Amino acid sequence: MIDSFGLRDILDIALAALLLYYIYKIMKESGTINIFFGILAFIVVWVFTSQILEMKLIGTILDKFMSIGLLVLVILFQDQIKRFLVALGDHKKWAFLRKLFHHTRGNEAERDMRRYVLPIVYACMNMAKTKTGALIVIEQDISLESYEKSGDMIDALINARLIENIFFKNSPLHDGALIVAHDRLKSAGCILPVSHDRNISRSLGLRHRSALGISQATDAFAIVVSEETGNISVAHKGSLHTKLTSAELEHRLSDVLLNV
């Protein structure tokens, strides 16, 4: 059996390891890593009892669980599966191919992107100075349309003054999230999923938990301005970074949107 071990087997193991790594990474970012280890332990027990020890009774019981397990996992982890498939086909991973054939178009896209990066950064700077609470969510590859519908549609050009007016303390929309998609301010006063990650500092409020929650459920980039301290934070890919300067915010936002 060892003599027949060849290149195909090495490739098989490498692909399986890569798949497990991506699943582990996505579930870690979404705060469900303990479930990942639980599923892994269940599979090990199933293989050991039914395939190696050939225990018929327990093997049959576990086989029944395995037969419906895939359907249960799809229902429970539909958001994580969506993120995995989007990450697998992420156009940014193949950016070098586009640059070879569409260099001019890429430069135009970069200029267009920078035109709305700066207004967002400028608005966050002003709101941080006045300690105006804000939550801005920028759509990436995963659509945020379902979250847009929970608020009031705006569909306006990206403008720093408009962003500041939306989050003005007397504005009826200041408590919800502002969603930016397709180079426009799409919807305000939106309701987002709240993260229940226990590692979040208790000093951080609902805006920070909502920002982290949307970054765990999707690939969106979320910006938070604290109403208590005026600090700027960002959440992306299940990670929360606090107390950023305006330069750091611009750099992180450019990295995500421009892939530079």
Side-chain angles (χ1 to χ4, degrees), residues 79 82-83 86 116 135-153 177-193 210-223 235-237 256-257:
D79 290 332
K82 184 191 297 183
R83 284 187 61 192
V86 169
Y116 83 77
L135 174 53
I136 303 171
V137 180
I138 302 173
E139 181 183 273
Q140 294 293 286
D141 291 321
I142 297 178
S143 174
L144 300 179
E145 185 177 357
S146 59
Y147 301 106
E148 292 173 13
K149 294 178 180 178
S150 67
D152 294 305
M153 298 301 296
L178 171 65
I179 294 180
V180 179
H182 307 296
D183 301 355
R184 298 182 70 82
L185 304 177
K186 296 295 290 186
S187 183
C190 302
I191 300 172
L192 304 181
S210 297
L212 187 59
I214 194 67
S215 75
Q216 292 173 341
T218 69
D219 60 346
F221 185 90
I223 306 171
H236 188 228
K237 294 184 177 180
V256 172
L257 299 181

Side-chain angles (χ1 to χ4, degrees), residues 232-251:
I232 299 175
S233 306
V234 299
H236 188 228
K237 294 184 177 180
S239 297
L240 183 66
H241 304 275
T242 59
K243 298 181 180 179
L244 301 182
T245 65
S246 58
E248 290 172 333
L249 173 61
E250 182 181 355
H251 178 70

